[in-house]
Amino acid sequence: MKLSRSCAATLLFVTALPAFSAQARDDGRYANSPLKPWFESLHSEFGQCCTDADGYIIADVDWESDRGRYRVRIDDEWVVVPDGAVITVPNKIGRTMVWKHYIDGHPRVRCFMPGSMT
């Protein structure tokens, strides 16, 4: 009985995993969202946020602020957010988001939008 519960839990996790990772992708399901134009208008000093990178919601435990500087954990690596990557327009969704890219296999921040930390 214990083995069957373990197998069922593993199967549920493996089945649900693609659904969670697909949520950040714009595959057309958000085409009619009233926030779509707002997301597409976001940009930092490094360019438009949604052009070359997908936005991901970051849990409060995965980012921190210290005297106006931000750090965010991406792929288990703490990355300093460049000042030019910080989005300064009001955050309409209230959640912390990061748009990332990679250089030499390490994550970098293209855009960062702080949330409310609630």
Side-chain angles (χ1 to χ4, degrees), residues 43-44 47-49 85 87 97-100 109-113:
H43 65 278
S44 71
Q48 279 187 297
C49 299
I87 305 297
M97 290 192 69
V98 66
W99 287 261
K100 62 184 179 179
V109 176
R110 179 182 184 92
C111 297
F112 175 77
M113 184 169 44

Side-chain angles (χ1 to χ4, degrees), residues 4 17 19-20 24 27 29-30 32 37 42 68 74 77 83 100 108 117:
S4 65
L17 186 59
F20 290 125
D27 58 5
R29 77 178 96 174
Y30 304 114
N32 296 321
L42 296 176
I74 302 173
E77 186 175 330
D83 290 339
K100 62 184 179 179
R108 299 291 184 257
M117 289 190 94

Side-chain angles (χ1 to χ4, degrees), residues 63-72 78-83 86-87 112-115 117:
W63 72 283
E64 58 189 25
S65 173
D66 182 27
R67 289 175 259 161
R69 297 292 313 237
Y70 297 100
R71 285 188 341 143
V72 61
W78 282 99
V79 179
V80 173
V81 176
D83 290 339
V86 178
I87 305 297
F112 175 77
M113 184 169 44
M117 289 190 94

Side-chain angles (χ1 to χ4, degrees), residues 1-42:
M1 183 68 159
K2 192 175 192 180
L3 180 61
S4 65
R5 273 193 221 146
S6 175
C7 289
T10 302
L11 181 60
L12 179 62
F13 175 76
V14 170
T15 306
L17 186 59
F20 290 125
S21 61
Q23 287 178 345
R25 306 276 185 238
D26 183 6
D27 58 5
R29 77 178 96 174
Y30 304 114
N32 296 321
S33 169
L35 290 178
K36 185 172 173 45
W38 176 73
F39 272 110
E40 291 177 344
S41 74
L42 296 176

